[in-house]
Amino acid sequence: MVRVHPLVEAARDVRGVLKSVADVNPAFMTTDEKAEALLALSTAQAVLAEARLPVLAVAGDGADAHGARDVGVWLAAATRVRRGEAAADLRLARVLDTDLPVLAAGLREGRVTVGQAHAVARAIAELPTHVDPEVRARAEAHLVAQCADFGPAEITRLGRGILDAVAPEIAEAIEAQRLLDLEANAAQRARLRMRRLGDGLTRLSAVLPDATATRLATYLNAYTNPRHHDGT
């Protein structure tokens, strides 16, 4: 007798149970039953995703066996889903397998949906490379906790400001460096051009850093205000 792997057996059991109720008409469910079924099925969907993603993370040999570039490409063809969707799942599977244990636990326990997991993983991936592992872990835990109240879009927005929530001193330093970089870049790109028009006027064209432009506007306003009718 051929031994079936427990994961394969569990997947077959789940499919069999759902197939057994495929013909049940939900229209005859009570309001409470519909609500309970929706919540339970949504939780089950998240749990199934967590069970599927670790397999996806280590299934590269299966892609090799089918001559595919990676398992995401093979799975997209085998299940007829969009390649981008399969590729995103593969990226998520790989980071869950190695870097995001709190997020993986949230998926496994049904506290986090796949959409939320993608948003959390993106937010952590977009943190600056010099942020240390402890801060990354705090950011991950904070965003996973927020999944109890917010959907993927809100988690994405929270992720953009996650350092303000878990490490404000680092966020301030990053913002200060960003402003310095902007100023340096603006100074390098500054240009000033003057072209005489031949009628006593000169056309002035300038690209200036904001601070310089503000000072120039102040000087010019002081020089020309109030303007007299004789042009002085």
Side-chain angles (χ1 to χ4, degrees):
M1 181 177 180
V2 178
R3 179 179 178 273
V4 179
H5 191 280
L7 275 174
V8 175
E9 187 175 8
R12 291 174 178 174
D13 288 345
V14 169
R15 185 171 59 184
V17 170
L18 291 176
K19 187 176 180 180
S20 70
V21 296
D23 295 330
V24 174
N25 190 341
F28 300 104
M29 299 171 68
T30 67
T31 301
D32 289 343
E33 287 172 340
K34 292 173 185 174
E36 183 177 355
L38 284 173
L39 291 175
L41 288 169
S42 296
T43 299
Q45 185 178 25
V47 173
L48 279 172
E50 201 283 332
R52 168 179 169 270
L53 290 172
V55 180
L56 186 60
V58 297
D61 52 348
D64 295 338
H66 289 85
R69 184 177 73 246
D70 60 46
V71 67
V73 172
W74 171 77
L75 189 63
T79 60
R80 296 170 298 284
V81 301
R82 291 186 300 111
R83 279 197 177 188
E85 181 180 337
D89 283 347
L90 178 58
R91 288 193 297 272
L92 177 61
R94 285 171 173 167
V95 294
L96 285 176
D97 186 50
T98 57
D99 301 329
L100 301 173
V102 177
L103 181 59
L107 272 169
R108 184 167 55 251
E109 296 163 9
R111 295 181 286 108
V112 178
T113 67
V114 175
Q116 289 173 318
H118 279 293
V120 172
R122 281 194 303 268
I124 302 303
E126 289 169 3
L127 289 174
T129 54
H130 66 269
V131 172
D132 63 56
E134 181 185 354
V135 173
R136 288 177 177 273
R138 292 208 306 268
E140 178 193 358
H142 181 82
L143 288 173
V144 169
Q146 299 306 307
C147 290
D149 300 309
F150 300 106
E154 292 85 358
I155 294 297
T156 297
R157 287 195 291 271
L158 290 170
R160 296 190 188 109
I162 187 59
L163 287 179
D164 290 319
V166 300
E169 69 288 351
I170 296 178
E172 290 175 6
I174 290 173
E175 179 63 14
Q177 185 59 52
R178 186 185 72 84
L179 293 175
L180 288 174
D181 292 343
L182 281 177
E183 290 178 2
N185 182 58
Q188 291 177 354
R189 296 171 60 196
R191 299 289 185 273
L192 178 64
R193 295 185 180 88
M194 292 186 292
R195 184 166 67 88
R196 295 189 184 279
L197 302 179
D199 57 357
L201 296 174
T202 296
R203 185 182 302 279
L204 180 67
S205 175
V207 177
L208 302 172
D210 289 340
T212 303
T214 300
R215 288 199 302 273
L216 178 60
T218 301
Y219 299 153
L220 293 176
N221 287 336
Y223 183 75
T224 61
N225 185 32
R227 173 176 290 183
H228 300 290
H229 292 296
D230 61 3
T232 61

